[in-house]
C-alpha cells in the first residue's frame, strides 16, 4: 500500500499562516488573562522540518512580534496578568525555537557520524580482504609475465613461431581480463553510493564476494562448502550493499576460525528460497557465540575483538533492514555459529 500523498509546500505554508492568524485573533480578542500566544510554540514545532535555520529564527521573531501586538490591541482584562502571560508566551516561543535548532543540529551530527561509521566500516572490511585481493590479482599478473616471456621466445625463433606467439598473446589478454574483473569487483564493494534497490541475481553476487575471499580461505586452510540453490528468483535490494554484508559475514567467520585447529576449520555458505524471500546462511565451526553475547551482536560499538570497533554487524543489520530484510544469528549445537539474512525477492518466476 503506497503512502498518502504529501500536502504541497505552498498549501502547508498557507495553513501555517492561517493558524498563526487564528492564534493572533484569539489572543487579541480575549482577556489579558488568556495566554493563547503560547500556542505559537506548537506552530514552531510543526514547521521545524519545513524551514531552514534562518527561516525558523525569522518565524520565531514574527511570533514574538505578534504576541506583543496582541497585548497592545487586547481591549480588556488585568494588564499585569497580560504582561506576565506575554512574558511566559515569549519565553516558550524562544525556548521552543532554541530546542528545535539544537535538535536539528544534533540530527545533522548524527547523520554525519553514521556516514563516517560507514566509511570506517568499509575501510576495516577492506583491511581484512587485502591479502586475498593481493593474491587474486597477483595470479593473473604472474601469468601475464609468464605468457609475455614465452611470446618473446616464440618470436625470437628462426623462423618465428607465430602460432605459439598468438596463443601466448591470447593468454595475456585473458589474464588481463581476469585482473580487470577482480579490480572491478573490489571497486564495486567500496563505492559509497546511496542505496539503489533493483532486481539482481543473488547467487552471482555471492560468487563475486567468494572469489575475493577464496585466496584468504586457502591461506588459512579453511574448508569451504558452497550450496547455492538453483532457480532462485532475483533479489530486490541494493546489490553492492548486500555484497558488503556478505563480505562482512565471511570475514567474521574466517576470524572466528582463527583459534580453531586447521583440520577443524569449516565454513559453509548457502542460499535458498524462503517463501517470497531469499535466505542466505553462513555457518562456521569457529569459537561460537558465548552465552549472553547473542543479544549484543548487532549493537553498535560492541565487540569481542581486541582491535575491533564494533560497527560491522550493526551496519550490516541497518543495510539489510533498509533493503526490506532481516538478519539474525544463532549458535551451533557443537561449536561455531550461524548467521542468516533474508531479502525480498523481486516477484519474478524462478529461473530454470
Amino acid at each position: 500500500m503506497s503512502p498518502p500523498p504529501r500536502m504541497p509546500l505552498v498549501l502547508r505554508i498557507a495553513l501555517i499562516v492561517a493558524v498563526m492568524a487564528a492564534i493572533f485573533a484569539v489572543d487579541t480578542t480575549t482577556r489579558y488573562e488568556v495566554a493563547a500566544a503560547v500556542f505559537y510554540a506548537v506552530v514552531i514545532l510543526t514547521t521545524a522540518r519545513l524551514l531552514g535555520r534562518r527561516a525558523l529564527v525569522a518565524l520565531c521573531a514574527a511570533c514574538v512580534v505578534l504576541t506583543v501586538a496582541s497585548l497592545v490591541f487586547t481591549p480588556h482584562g488585568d494588564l499585569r496578568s497580560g504582561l506576565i502571560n506575554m512574558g511566559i508566551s515569549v519565553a516558550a516561543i524562544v525556548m521552543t525555537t532554541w530546542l528545535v535548532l539544537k535538535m536539528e543540529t544534533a540530527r545533522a551530527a548524527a547523520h554525519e557520524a553514521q556516514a563516517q561509521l560507514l566509511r570506517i566500516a568499509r575501510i576495516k572490511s577492506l583491511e581484512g580482504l587485502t591479502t586475498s585481493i593481493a593474491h587474486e590479482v597477483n595470479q593473473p599478473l604472474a601469468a601475464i609475465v609468464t605468457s609475455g616471456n614465452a611470446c618473446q621466445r616464440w618470436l625470437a625463433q628462426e623462423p618465428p613461431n607465430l602460432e605459439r606467439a598468438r596463443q601466448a598473446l591470447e593468454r595475456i589478454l585473458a589474464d588481463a581480463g581476469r585482473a580487470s574483473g577482480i579490480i572491478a569487483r573490489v571497486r564495486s564493494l567500496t563505492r559509497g553510493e546511496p542505496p539503489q534497490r533493483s532486481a539482481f541475481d543473488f547467487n552471482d553476487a555471492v560468487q563475486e564476494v567468494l572469489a575475493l575471499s577464496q585466496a584468504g580461505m586457502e591461506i588459512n586452510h579453511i574448508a569451504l562448502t558452497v550450496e547455492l540453490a538453483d532457480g532462485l528468483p532475483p533479489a530486490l535490494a541494493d546489490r553492492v550493499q548486500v555484497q558488503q554484508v556478505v563480505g562482512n559475514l565471511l570475514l567474521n567467520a574466517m576470524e572466528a576460525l582463527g583459534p580453531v585447529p586447521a583440520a577443524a576449520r569449516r565454513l559453509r555458505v548457502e542460499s535458498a528460497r524462503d517463501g517470497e524471500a531469499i535466505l542466505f546462511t553462513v555457518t562456521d565451526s569457529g569459537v561460537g557465540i558465548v552465552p549472553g553475547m547473542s543479544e549484543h551482536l548487532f549493537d553498535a560499538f560492541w565487540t569481542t575483538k581486541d582491535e575491533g570497533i564494533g560497527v560491522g554487524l550493526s551496519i550490516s543489520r541497518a543495510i539489510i533492514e533498509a533493503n526490506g530484510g532481516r538478519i539474525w544469528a544463532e549458535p551451533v549445537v557443537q561449536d561455531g555459529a550461524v548467521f542468516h539474512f533474508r531479502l525480498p525477492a523481486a516477484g519474478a518466476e524462478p529461473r530454470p
Side-chain angles (χ1 to χ4, degrees):
M1 182 177 179
S2 60
R6 297 184 64 183
M7 187 184 298
L9 179 59
V10 175
L11 187 56
R12 280 182 284 173
I13 293 175
L15 181 60
I16 292 167
V17 172
V19 171
M20 291 178 64
I23 294 173
F24 178 78
V26 172
D27 196 34
T28 303
T29 57
T30 55
R31 297 175 63 86
Y32 286 126
E33 292 83 358
V34 179
V38 76
F39 288 102
Y40 287 126
V42 178
V43 174
I44 291 173
L45 282 174
T46 57
T47 57
R49 303 301 297 271
L50 301 177
L51 305 176
R53 295 180 65 88
R54 292 183 178 179
L56 197 61
V57 171
L59 178 62
C60 172
C63 290
V64 171
V65 170
L66 289 174
T67 302
V68 175
S70 292
L71 179 70
V72 173
F73 293 113
T74 297
H76 47 271
D78 183 4
L79 180 60
R80 185 167 177 269
S81 298
L83 290 171
I84 293 174
N85 285 337
M86 184 193 71
I88 293 173
S89 299
V90 169
I93 293 167
V94 173
M95 286 299 297
T96 300
T97 304
W98 181 79
L99 289 173
V100 167
L101 291 175
K102 296 294 287 186
M103 181 177 63
E104 292 299 319
T105 301
R107 183 181 288 110
H111 285 314
E112 177 60 28
Q114 185 181 36
Q116 183 68 17
L117 283 176
L118 286 170
R119 289 191 289 269
I120 292 172
R122 192 173 294 116
I123 292 171
K124 296 297 290 184
S125 297
L126 282 178
E127 289 177 0
L129 285 173
T130 299
T131 302
S132 178
I133 293 170
H135 183 81
E136 287 290 326
V137 175
N138 187 60
Q139 284 185 334
L141 291 181
I144 288 172
V145 173
T146 301
S147 298
N149 291 332
C151 184
Q152 285 183 326
R153 289 196 302 271
W154 296 127
L155 291 176
Q157 288 184 351
E158 289 294 341
N161 192 328
L162 298 181
E163 178 59 25
R164 291 295 184 89
R166 185 186 62 78
Q167 293 175 0
L169 286 174
E170 289 179 353
R171 290 195 298 271
I172 290 173
L173 291 175
D175 289 322
R178 283 178 54 204
S180 176
I182 292 170
I183 297 300
R185 289 199 299 272
V186 174
R187 289 182 62 189
S188 71
L189 290 175
T190 57
R191 283 199 300 261
E193 299 176 349
Q196 296 181 351
R197 296 181 67 182
S198 61
F200 66 92
D201 189 307
F202 183 80
N203 287 346
D204 282 353
V206 171
Q207 290 284 16
E208 289 182 2
V209 181
L210 287 173
L212 291 175
S213 305
Q214 187 68 40
M217 294 184 190
E218 293 175 358
I219 293 171
N220 292 286
H221 308 289
I222 297 173
L224 174 65
T225 302
V226 180
E227 295 185 2
L228 303 180
D230 295 328
L232 287 181
L236 182 61
D238 186 304
R239 180 188 179 103
V240 174
Q241 288 191 346
V242 171
Q243 287 180 310
Q244 290 174 351
V245 175
V246 172
N248 186 51
L249 295 181
L250 290 176
L251 286 172
N252 287 346
M254 292 167 66
E255 291 175 354
L257 291 169
V260 176
R265 295 174 184 169
R266 298 183 301 276
L267 196 156
R268 178 185 294 271
V269 175
E270 302 170 82
S271 69
R273 183 163 188 171
D274 185 13
E276 295 302 317
I278 294 173
L279 177 66
F280 178 74
T281 303
V282 175
T283 307
D284 66 71
S285 60
V287 294
I289 300 175
V290 178
M293 186 174 71
S294 57
E295 60 190 46
H296 299 291
L297 280 175
F298 297 95
D299 292 349
F301 304 111
W302 191 91
T303 181
T304 58
K305 302 175 187 177
D306 293 336
E307 298 181 358
I309 59 175
V311 297
L313 287 177
S314 174
I315 291 177
S316 294
R317 181 174 65 177
I319 288 174
I320 294 300
E321 291 180 351
N323 283 279
R326 186 171 74 91
I327 185 170
W328 70 99
E330 56 190 43
V332 178
V333 177
Q334 294 83 14
D335 293 310
V338 182
F339 282 82
H340 307 276
F341 70 72
R342 296 174 76 252
L343 286 175
E349 292 294 326
R351 296 181 181 180

